[in-house]
Amino acid sequence: MAGVLRAAGFDVSVPEVLVRTYTAGNERLTVGGTLMAARALALSPAAPDGVSGPLVVLDQDATSGCEAADHTNRSRGAVLLIRRGTCPFGQKVQVAADAGAVAVVVANSEDGPLTGA
């Protein structure tokens, strides 16, 4: 296409673009030795060796894990179970990471599929 445009007299540049892709290779969630139904949300960071930690259920309030105040010292090193809603998944995960969580599991508490990034 660039050649066609150049032949037509256009000044064409072809910048290099970095595109991130994500493919979940082994979506698996085990709680207390029991395999649970789970799937990775789009653009979830890969954890080739997996992660583990105590499962901590975040208190459910009006912000549902969206604010730093929703986390306690129990969040550090934990896998957090957070109900969906109130704010974007990315915000929930960033706030959890800032609180020291090693992973976030978002529970689908609404009818229909859980989609997002």
Side-chain angles (χ1 to χ4, degrees), residues 34-103:
T34 302
L35 190 61
M36 310 298 290
R39 70 173 185 77
L41 292 176
L43 302 178
S44 295
D49 297 325
V51 296
S52 63
L55 181 65
V56 172
V57 179
L58 226 60
D59 291 337
Q60 296 302 305
D61 59 16
T63 58
S64 304
C66 298
E67 299 175 344
D70 295 333
H71 296 269
T72 66
N73 60 352
R74 296 183 325 144
S75 295
R76 181 157 305 285
V79 175
L80 299 181
L81 178 62
I82 301 175
R83 185 181 303 167
R84 76 182 283 184
T86 308
C87 66
F89 298 129
Q91 181 176 339
K92 289 178 186 284
V93 170
Q94 185 60 60
V95 172
D98 291 346
V102 297

Side-chain angles (χ1 to χ4, degrees), residues 22-27 39-40:
Y22 171 78
T23 303
N26 187 7
E27 299 170 305
R39 70 173 185 77

